[in-house]
Amino acid sequence: MKGLRGFLDRIEPHFSEGGRFARLAPVYEMVDTIFYAPGTATTTAPHVRDSIDMKRSMFTVIVALMPALLFGVYNTGYQAAPDAGFALNMLAGVQALLPLLLVSYLVGGLWELLFAIVRKHEINEGFLVTGLLLPMTLPPDIPLWMVAAGISFAVVIGKEVTGGTGYNIFNPALVGRAFIFFAYPGEMSGDAVWFLGDSVTAATPLAVASAVQGADAAELVSSAGYSLLDMSLGLVPGPLAGTSAIAALLGALVLAFSGIGNWRIMAGGLAGMVFAALLCNAMAPFSQNSMLSLSPLHHLVMGGFAFGIVFMATDPVSASQTDRGRWIYGMLIGVLIVLIRVLNQAFVEGVMLAILLGNAFAPMIDYFVLRRNIARRKKAYARQ
């Protein structure tokens, strides 16, 4: 490592102000800080000194995503050829994932570099997560040019136009996914969006549950061969790495214990989902809507609920910032996911829209929480 340190020190003048490659200073800073801690520190208040910086926060999120990613790679190959064996399934999954990942990081990284050069600031580490999250939420067979368009929209419109990392109103990865969904719905929705190559086509469990009005959705899902165990493990058609509730739970433990993802948002989302699902169950006998009969357990393991509530809703920038606000924010998203799934038969996977709506309401939730706290303190002060 001493050799690398010496090499970086020797070339640093070329990237400093007045050097031949001064415009590429963000690239040098990115490489240098990947291997070494920055040599600068804040000297004036206000500031917080902590061992967890942006890079370590993003690295922790990536570690938390690994169980979902690795299982998604296996499931991608498993859905194409269930009898092929573990090794061949992993190989098929890697072949599907790598092109999406390379395009996402390459195209998104170029946009990050361009904005860093124009604005003369560092390349933000938040892109490491955005560039990974977007491919994980897409079908494995999606055309690569759509991935390029989606990650461009995520970085430019979802983040940079509002000021960059730390200033985004909405989760950038979800903004990119929403762009692909609404611009090219044929590739993202329908009864048979899953296929790897030309050999396998299957509807997702949520599409099966909403296919026949007046029927019991749980029985429809079971008849299609999707058991609760399979849906919990994630051995069902769906996004490349967003089907496993158990893998999401492992990621939730990493995020909650490290403090990177707030557990109140996850718990609030779960509580909101259970409340809304039970309310729908009570109305099921009076309606022909099959989705009303889905139990809270089905909502938990079907679609991208677990993945979204753990990795998307907990985005520390676009989520609520107060503890009470995080409970409200999480519950709002949980309720909206169920309502969108039940009421919108054309879009039964409501996670993306629910979290984006939650992002939109997060500042207002915090505003009213703070105003209520201020009013309570004023009353307590007046009584003294």
Side-chain angles (χ1 to χ4, degrees), residues 245 270 273 295-307 309 341:
L270 183 62
M273 180 273 289
S295 69
L297 183 57
H298 281 91
H299 280 290
L300 175 63
V301 300
M302 291 172 72
F305 175 83
F307 186 87
I309 210 71
R341 283 179 172 180

Side-chain angles (χ1 to χ4, degrees), residues 38-50:
T40 58
T42 303
T43 56
T44 57
H47 57 255
V48 175
R49 296 191 185 280
D50 195 287

Side-chain angles (χ1 to χ4, degrees), residues 119-168:
R119 291 176 171 169
K120 298 182 179 178
H121 63 54
E122 302 168 355
I123 295 177
N124 293 310
E125 297 82 0
F127 174 68
L128 293 174
V129 174
T130 302
L132 179 60
L133 272 177
L134 181 64
M136 291 176 71
T137 63
L138 299 176
D141 64 303
I142 190 169
L144 296 181
W145 65 268
M146 289 189 189
V147 182
I151 194 64
S152 298
F153 199 85
V155 173
V156 177
I157 305 300
K159 187 171 66 173
E160 294 298 343
V161 295
T162 56
T165 298
Y167 296 95
N168 49 289

Side-chain angles (χ1 to χ4, degrees), residues 4-169:
L4 177 61
R5 181 68 268 170
F7 172 73
L8 291 172
D9 288 341
R10 285 196 298 276
I11 66 172
E12 182 180 7
H14 299 299
F15 294 90
S16 302
E17 187 172 355
R20 287 183 296 172
F21 307 115
R23 283 185 172 275
L24 297 178
V27 177
Y28 174 84
E29 192 277 341
M30 177 187 69
V31 175
D32 186 79
T33 54
I34 285 176
F35 298 100
Y36 301 97
T40 58
T42 303
T43 56
T44 57
H47 57 255
V48 175
R49 296 191 185 280
D50 195 287
S51 60
I52 301 296
D53 59 7
M54 178 69 79
K55 281 187 174 60
R56 288 175 177 79
S57 297
M58 296 301 104
F59 179 75
T60 303
V61 176
I62 290 175
V63 169
L65 283 166
M66 284 301 106
L69 181 65
L70 293 175
F71 185 84
V73 167
Y74 168 73
N75 185 51
T76 300
Y78 176 82
Q79 294 300 320
D83 300 325
F86 179 79
L88 290 178
N89 286 337
M90 288 296 291
L91 180 61
V94 169
Q95 290 175 342
L97 171 68
L98 277 183
L100 305 186
L101 205 56
L102 288 175
V103 169
S104 178
Y105 274 127
L106 181 61
V107 176
L110 288 175
W111 281 114
E112 287 277 351
L113 177 61
L114 178 62
F115 275 91
I117 291 174
V118 172
R119 291 176 171 169
K120 298 182 179 178
H121 63 54
E122 302 168 355
I123 295 177
N124 293 310
E125 297 82 0
F127 174 68
L128 293 174
V129 174
T130 302
L132 179 60
L133 272 177
L134 181 64
M136 291 176 71
T137 63
L138 299 176
D141 64 303
I142 190 169
L144 296 181
W145 65 268
M146 289 189 189
V147 182
I151 194 64
S152 298
F153 199 85
V155 173
V156 177
I157 305 300
K159 187 171 66 173
E160 294 298 343
V161 295
T162 56
T165 298
Y167 296 95
N168 49 289
I169 303 170

